[in-house]
């Protein structure tokens, strides 16, 4: 059932790429489906001096990239959009924002609710949050929620500093840190699948699981994001956040938990049990790579990309073995892998069971694959067979009919923000544990010079990624 929500959105960075490519199309979908109707307004802010009309035109232009023939609805929708030019350091501008938000709240009867969305560079997050507080933008009789995009720091120290700045202005319960993988239907379905399939859940532990593999592979290179990528690399860009959160969905206890606090505590406990890595273990358990041209020289090597240093040592591929020290998972390797310029786009979890599962009436060495990307409606494979054709009575797919029309990640996350549902956001304690773990790898890597480039574009990464598993007698389920 659709319940209309009311709020004033203040989008810092309202002229930027994220706002136009992700936020406005998602807000439009919510408008079309009735979650947003009469009682909302969007204030876009950025440095440029735009009029409301011009801002609305930019919004409509970006919507046309995603929707056809709906110009009248777009126009109606755009009447809820207003623009306020704004410099993050100028206190006067916050007063103007406050007054505009109050006026629009009266006009649209938005219930004094505010969503402050940071679609700007992270270096501004602290300044903006502090000004929202000090200039009195927060309302007393509605909610005030702060939404933050990744990257959330580049290591534990910078994440602590960033968090220190925003938490002076907003309590943790009002901070919504977006990891868009947590908005994906299939990631949200992982606990549901576990909760609804007792036998599967019973088998998800070190007695029955041989290893778990999480792959987030892309076939494209860095495209026009070389400048950003040079400050990140795949370890920070994909592993610290998305891969860890996917592991959280498959490996934390009690998938039947409904309360956000319990769910987060379970995830925090899991990340708190990550097995520490010595520098030598980083060498044996983690592989890094950087793409070269392809064999035909059709594709650029990473070092030839725009805004990338000719001698860059940033990794575009990583594979690793993550281990936990807890009753449930000790001894089970979680192999992770993410890279650019791999043969295909593929986001998947492969759970490889051992031969003890025969005790549960399941065929020895069964592999269950959960596909995370919604490329079609085949979401679960067992032993490589589409589940729907498989006779095995192991797991069933939840709400299958809903899956095809599932919401986009941002759309689903915005509904959560408007509903005050914090289940699908990242808490500070989770970040602290995952950054601590990632920092140990990064520090070791930064102390050594890699031999890059070391994999050909369009391949499965460096050979060392295969050897990592072979050493344990395992192999990647997804292989070219
Ligand atoms: P962008 O460069 O396209 O937009 C940045 C916005 O910030 C612009 O509207 C700009 O006018 C505004 N801005 C810059 N300096 C300002 C100042 N001094 N005062 C007021 N406004 C100022 O960037 P983007 O790609 O939209 O990214 C925004 C944030 O979202 C970043 O933190 C980025 O890491 C994150 N993010 C972006 C994407 C994406 O797909 N673009 C994906 C994930 C996370």
């Amino acid at each position: 059932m659709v319940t209309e929500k009311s709020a004033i959105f203040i989008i810092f960075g309202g002229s930027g790429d994220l706002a136009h490519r992700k936020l406005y199309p998602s807000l439009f979908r919510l408008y079309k489906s009735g979650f947003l109707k009469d009682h909302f307004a969007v204030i876009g802010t950025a440095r440029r001096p735009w009029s409301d009309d011009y801002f609305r035109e930019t919004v409509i232009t970006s919507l046309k990239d995603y929707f056809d023939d709906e110009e009248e609805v777009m126009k109606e929708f755009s009447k809820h959009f207003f623009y306020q030019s704004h410099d993050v350091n100028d206190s006067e501008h916050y007063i103007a924002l406050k007054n505009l938000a109050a006026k629009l709240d009266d006009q649209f009867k938005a219930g004094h609710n505010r969503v402050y969305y940071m679609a700007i560079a992270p270096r501004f997050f602290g300044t903006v949050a502090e000004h929202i507080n000090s200039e009195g933008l927060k309302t007393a009789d509605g909610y005030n929620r702060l939404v933050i995009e990744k990257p959330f720091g580049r290591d534990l120290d910078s994440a602590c500093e960033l968090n220190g700045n925003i938490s002076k202005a907003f309590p943790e319960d009002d901070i919504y840190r977006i990891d868009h993988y947590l908005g994906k239907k299939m990631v949200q379905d992982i606990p549901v699948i576990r909760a609804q399939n007792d036998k599967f859940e019973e088998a998800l532990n070190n007695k029955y699981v041989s290893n778990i593999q999480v792959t987030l592979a892309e076939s494209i290179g860095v495209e026009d994001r070389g400048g950003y990528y040079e400050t990140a690399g795949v370890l920070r860009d994909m592993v610290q956040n998305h891969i860890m959160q996917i592991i959280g969905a498959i490996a934390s206890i009690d998938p039947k938990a409904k309360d956000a606090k319990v769910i987060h505590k379970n995830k925090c406990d899991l990340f708190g049990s990550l097995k520490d890595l010595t520098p030598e273990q980083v060498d044996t358990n983690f592989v890094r790579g950087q793409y070269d041209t392809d064999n035909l020289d059709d594709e650029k090597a990473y070092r030839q990309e725009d805004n990338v240093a000719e001698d860059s040592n940033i990794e575009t591929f990583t594979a690793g073995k993550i281990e936990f020290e807890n009753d449930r998972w000790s001894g089970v390797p979680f192999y992770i892998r993410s890279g650019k310029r791999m043969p295909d786009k593929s986001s998947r979890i492969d759970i490889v069971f051992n031969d003890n599962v025969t005790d549960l009436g399941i065929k020895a060495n069964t592999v269950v694959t959960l596909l995370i990307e919604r490329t079609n409606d085949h979401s679960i494979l067992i032993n490589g067979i589409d589940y729907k054709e498989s006779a095995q009575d192991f797991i069933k797919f939840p709400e299958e009919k809903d899956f095809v029309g599932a919401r986009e990640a941002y759309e689903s996350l915005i509904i959560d923000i408007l509903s005050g549902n914090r289940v699908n956001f990242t808490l500070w304690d989770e970040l602290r544990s995952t950054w601590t773990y990632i920092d140990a790898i990064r520090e070791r890597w930064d102390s050594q010079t890699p031999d890059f480039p070391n994999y050909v574009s369009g391949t499965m990464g460096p050979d060392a990624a295969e050897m990592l598993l072979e050493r344990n007698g395992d192999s990647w389920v997804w292989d070219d």
Side-chain angles (χ1 to χ4, degrees):
M1 206 189 67
V2 174
T3 313
E4 187 195 349
K5 308 284 180 196
S6 44
I8 303 292
F9 294 83
I10 303 181
I11 303 194
F12 295 92
S15 65
D17 176 72
L18 178 77
H20 280 87
R21 269 191 329 110
K22 299 286 185 196
L23 304 187
Y24 303 150
S26 298
L27 291 173
F28 186 56
R29 284 192 196 95
L30 295 179
Y31 181 73
K32 290 202 302 171
S33 55
F35 282 99
L36 294 175
K37 204 168 158 220
D38 299 321
H39 303 295
F40 81 101
V42 179
I43 305 176
T45 82
R47 276 172 307 182
R48 298 172 219 183
W50 283 356
S51 66
D52 289 343
D53 282 343
Y54 183 78
F55 178 47
R56 289 171 188 171
E57 272 173 41
T58 70
V59 172
I60 291 178
T61 305
S62 63
L63 294 180
K64 284 183 179 162
D65 289 342
Y66 304 93
F67 307 91
D68 297 324
D69 304 330
E70 292 172 287
E71 195 138 357
E72 281 312 308
V73 193
M74 287 179 196
K75 275 200 184 130
E76 284 305 309
F77 172 69
S78 77
K79 288 182 186 160
H80 292 258
F81 281 65
F82 300 82
Y83 187 80
Q84 173 79 54
S85 105
H86 170 86
D87 189 299
V88 293
N89 290 308
D90 190 333
S91 297
E92 291 297 316
H93 287 175
Y94 291 89
I95 312 275
L97 265 181
K98 174 185 166 172
N99 294 339
L100 178 59
K103 187 182 125 202
L104 295 175
D105 205 321
D106 280 350
Q107 186 179 334
F108 290 96
K109 310 231 168 339
H112 310 283
N113 298 323
R114 301 283 183 274
V115 174
Y116 308 95
Y117 202 117
M118 304 283 199
I120 42 172
R123 67 179 183 283
F124 298 135
F125 291 176
T127 311
V128 174
E130 279 169 31
H131 278 88
I132 289 171
N133 211 24
S134 62
E135 305 311 324
L137 270 77
K138 287 193 193 170
T139 56
D141 40 5
Y143 61 69
N144 290 272
R145 296 178 182 150
L146 181 73
V147 185
I148 290 185
E149 281 285 341
K150 78 165 195 183
F152 200 81
R154 57 190 320 277
D155 52 23
L156 181 62
D157 287 349
S158 56
C160 281
E161 193 186 329
L162 187 57
N163 201 56
N165 290 339
I166 60 169
S167 59
K168 276 187 227 147
F170 283 81
E172 176 72 13
D173 282 355
D174 288 335
I175 302 174
Y176 290 72
R177 296 182 194 82
I178 290 205
D179 181 322
H180 71 277
Y181 271 74
L182 289 177
K184 289 181 189 279
K185 170 91 168 109
M186 194 58 216
V187 175
Q188 294 183 357
D189 274 348
I190 294 168
V192 181
I193 290 169
R194 291 174 55 196
Q196 291 181 352
N197 294 279
D198 293 344
K199 204 186 277 186
F200 180 56
E201 180 63 12
E202 193 185 341
L204 271 188
N205 55 56
N206 50 11
K207 181 168 177 204
Y208 301 109
V209 174
S210 161
N211 64 82
I212 292 185
Q213 306 177 10
V214 180
T215 299
L216 299 183
E218 291 178 285
S219 55
I220 56 171
V222 290
E223 313 271 284
D224 56 2
R225 296 182 72 220
Y228 160 71
Y229 214 76
E230 281 285 272
T231 66
V234 71
L235 189 67
R236 289 190 179 105
D237 194 44
M238 301 296 280
V239 182
Q240 182 272 328
N241 35 46
H242 311 318
I243 286 188
M244 287 295 188
Q245 289 296 333
I246 290 169
I247 291 177
I250 195 78
S252 57
I253 61 165
D254 194 7
K256 289 188 173 146
K258 292 271 179 281
D259 184 274
K261 286 204 159 59
V262 176
I263 292 169
H264 283 297
K265 175 172 185 315
N266 293 341
K267 226 191 285 180
C268 284
D269 288 348
L270 177 76
F271 295 147
S273 72
L274 279 161
K275 190 172 171 187
D276 290 340
L277 292 163
T278 62
E280 292 70 31
Q281 284 166 337
V282 173
D283 295 344
T284 47
N285 293 0
F286 283 83
V287 172
R288 57 177 158 164
Q290 186 191 77
Y291 61 79
D292 202 344
T293 58
D294 61 354
N295 284 329
L296 302 169
D297 265 355
D298 281 346
E299 301 277 12
K300 284 183 186 168
Y302 176 69
R303 289 177 177 182
Q304 297 166 338
E305 301 277 13
D306 292 344
N307 301 317
V308 169
E310 282 172 12
D311 56 353
S312 172
N313 283 329
I314 284 293
E315 80 287 351
T316 60
F317 174 96
T318 187
K321 181 170 90 168
I322 294 177
E323 293 169 290
F324 293 94
E325 285 179 311
N326 61 32
D327 290 347
R328 187 169 184 151
W329 294 114
S330 285
V332 176
F334 283 69
Y335 297 116
I336 59 102
R337 178 173 52 167
S338 184
K340 295 205 175 281
R341 288 275 178 79
M342 293 182 68
D344 262 319
K345 182 171 172 60
S346 183
S347 306
R348 51 191 286 154
I349 308 171
D350 298 291
I351 304 162
V352 183
F353 290 93
N354 58 27
D355 45 17
N356 291 337
V357 282
T358 51
D359 297 352
L360 302 176
I362 306 298
K363 216 167 77 188
N365 310 120
T366 284
V367 177
V368 171
T369 298
L370 306 177
L371 297 181
I372 290 164
E373 289 302 332
R374 186 165 52 88
T375 46
N376 53 36
D377 64 345
H378 299 165
S379 312
I380 301 178
L381 310 172
I382 296 180
N383 285 342
I385 305 164
D386 174 6
Y387 171 71
K388 285 185 292 189
E389 293 158 22
S390 155
Q392 296 186 61
D393 181 24
F394 194 14
I395 49 178
K396 289 192 187 358
F397 185 67
E399 310 160 39
E400 187 162 2
K401 61 185 182 323
D402 290 340
F403 193 71
V404 178
R407 290 194 185 96
E408 295 288 326
Y410 272 89
E411 201 184 331
S412 151
L413 293 173
I414 292 171
I415 294 175
D416 286 344
I417 294 162
L418 294 169
S419 315
N421 175 7
R422 300 182 76 235
V423 168
N424 299 313
F425 299 85
T426 310
L427 297 204
W428 169 240
D429 286 341
E430 298 161 25
L431 285 167
R432 198 202 321 261
S433 301
T434 51
W435 270 127
T436 303
Y437 189 79
I438 293 300
D439 279 358
I441 305 167
R442 192 75 255 170
E443 276 162 27
R444 179 63 171 174
W445 283 358
D446 288 346
S447 73
Q448 298 164 325
T449 307
D451 188 14
F452 281 171
N454 63 351
Y455 71 98
V456 173
S457 277
T459 68
M460 300 297 281
D463 293 343
E466 307 291 325
M467 275 137 50
L468 175 74
L469 275 68
E470 279 168 20
R471 276 204 303 276
N472 287 0
D474 297 325
S475 58
W476 292 108
V477 174
W478 185 64
D479 212 346
D480 195 24

